[in-house]
Amino acid sequence: MSSASKLKFKNPRARHDFKGRTCSITGVGSYLPKRILTNAELEQMVNTSDEWIVSRTGIRERRIAGKHEHNSHMAAEAATRAMAHAGVTSAQIDLIIVATITPDMPFPATACLVQQIIGADQAAAFDLEAACSGFIYAMEIGQQFIMSRTCDTVLVIGSEKLSSIIDWTDRNTCVLFGDGAGAVVLQNRPASHGLLTAIMGADGSKAGLLSMPGGGSMHPATVESVSARLHHLRMDGKEVFKAAVTAMITAAREALGRCEIEASQLACIIPHQANRRIIDAVGTRLGIPEEKFFVNLEKYGNTSAASVAIALDEAVRSGRIKRGDLVMMLVFGAGLTWGAAIIEW
Ligand code: UT7
């Protein structure tokens, strides 16, 4: 698993390396529900067409969790697969972070439910909410626990049951999202490949562009809040689209600058899987050819915090990412939030 990095960094913020401690992704895993919802089925539900969805987004189908298939179940399955890949047991897990906007319930944390399912009874556990950017936020936080020697093994999971908050009468949003989970195991692996840098950003002035207003303490569930459809996801798609492109480009440039590498040195980019046109716009503006982007949104749609985690797992398992490759992950979501991470795989 571990061979020393060939990269040399002048910028101390480039490589997270503290007194010989580095943070590696030692295992990846994902889980997708079996039920496939196709564009043709959506044509029967709202006034839309396969042609519109594919041409405006690239999405052809998405997965939908069963009624009794909860977020914590999907998260635990992805985690179990990542632990098997890393060769670690649940007893070795020091911390579980679940990035999600669709927890099983407001509290306790879904991470605690996962801890119980996988039997990681030595682990601390909490949820993190940074919408579609949550997985990179969670990886960066997990890494900080490893660098500070608080933890040796951290399980980071992005898991969403977005089908539970979608307004299935709103064609503007219901065609875009899907359910699923992805996970990584982070471990200290001295002098090995690892997570080189992570950028996190936010702009709360644009919070209203993408939100679910109901269910918190501002708008608790009432008969009125339910009939006003406050408990569903709402989005100003056009504005989110523009902000996504700008933020992802800025985050990518900052991450590349920190690591003192050129975009041409990247072997693979794992972008948030929201819209093919967003990914194309980001690639064009950064001068990165289309084939360097790993895209699976045609199969799963936008799975929010799970999106890049599922894509990373598929890219590794399919051989698209190889040992030593430089990989950049790019995310964007409600908040607004955004992030970028560069990994020497
Ligand atoms: O993960 C968080 C980040 N979220 C995103 O990244 C989403 C970002 N936004 C987008 O991906 C795109 O803005 C959308 C896919 C949501 C929409 O694409 P667009 O090209 O921006 O379309 P639009 O919102 O400008 O809508 C164009 C037309 C409208 O009709 P009118 O007003 O021009 O008559 C919409 O009502 O398309 C209509 N429309 C649809 N038509 C058929 C919107 N949704 C649909 C639909 N089927 N499902």
Side-chain angles (χ1 to χ4, degrees), residues 8-23:
K8 297 280 173 266
F9 299 98
K10 286 188 221 105
N11 180 351
R13 295 182 82 189
R15 184 178 176 85
H16 284 295
D17 186 338
F18 184 69
K19 295 188 177 168
R21 243 174 128 76
T22 59
C23 177

Side-chain angles (χ1 to χ4, degrees), residues 66-312:
K67 191 169 177 218
H68 302 293
E69 191 173 21
H70 302 309
N71 183 325
S72 56
H73 298 150
M74 295 189 285
E77 191 54 47
T80 302
R81 293 174 188 183
M83 289 191 300
H85 188 220
V88 302
T89 64
S90 46
Q92 286 173 262
I93 307 294
D94 299 312
L95 173 65
I96 302 168
I97 310 175
V98 174
T100 188
I101 53 170
T102 50
D104 280 7
M105 53 191 108
F107 69 88
T110 297
C112 294
L113 307 178
V114 171
Q115 188 234 34
Q116 190 270 326
I117 297 170
I118 65 174
D121 42 13
Q122 300 304 309
F126 65 86
D127 287 359
L128 182 149
E129 203 271 82
C132 306
S133 308
F135 191 73
I136 284 190
Y137 269 61
M139 275 207 309
E140 172 64 358
I141 290 164
Q143 161 162 264
Q144 297 300 335
F145 277 94
I146 286 174
M147 293 314 199
S148 66
R149 295 172 192 269
T150 311
C151 297
D152 283 320
T153 304
V154 177
L155 195 50
V156 174
I157 307 167
S159 185
E160 300 286 11
K161 189 171 175 176
L162 292 165
S163 59
S164 66
I165 60 164
I166 294 304
D167 180 347
W168 290 103
T169 65
D170 176 14
R171 71 175 182 173
N172 291 290
T173 53
C174 76
V175 302
L176 303 173
F177 298 95
D179 301 335
V184 294
V185 175
L186 301 182
Q187 291 187 289
N188 169 43
R189 285 281 180 273
S192 80
H193 304 89
L195 190 49
L196 304 183
T197 200
I199 308 281
M200 302 184 293
D203 178 2
S205 72
K206 295 197 173 75
L209 293 182
L210 177 50
S211 67
M212 185 177 84
S217 55
M218 189 189 283
H219 300 293
T222 59
V223 172
E224 291 75 27
S225 76
V226 171
S227 43
R229 308 189 86 72
L230 298 190
H231 301 274
H232 295 296
L233 177 154
R234 336 174 136 177
M235 177 169 68
D236 179 340
K238 232 181 209 352
E239 290 305 314
V240 172
F241 189 113
K242 287 189 268 181
V245 173
T246 307
M248 285 164 86
I249 289 168
T250 308
R253 287 192 175 132
E254 196 182 333
L256 289 166
R258 269 198 200 178
C259 290
E260 297 157 343
I261 57 173
E262 302 294 329
S264 58
Q265 291 174 259
L266 296 169
C268 183
I269 294 106
I270 311 263
H272 176 42
Q273 309 284 320
N275 186 321
R276 177 84 232 191
R277 289 187 298 135
I278 293 179
I279 296 169
D280 291 346
V282 169
T284 304
R285 300 256 301 271
L286 289 174
I288 301 176
E290 188 184 339
E291 57 275 14
K292 284 221 178 162
F293 287 84
F294 185 86
V295 179
N296 63 4
L297 60 80
E298 68 282 359
K299 293 187 291 181
Y300 309 132
N302 180 348
T303 56
S304 190
S307 150
V308 287
I310 295 168
L312 179 67

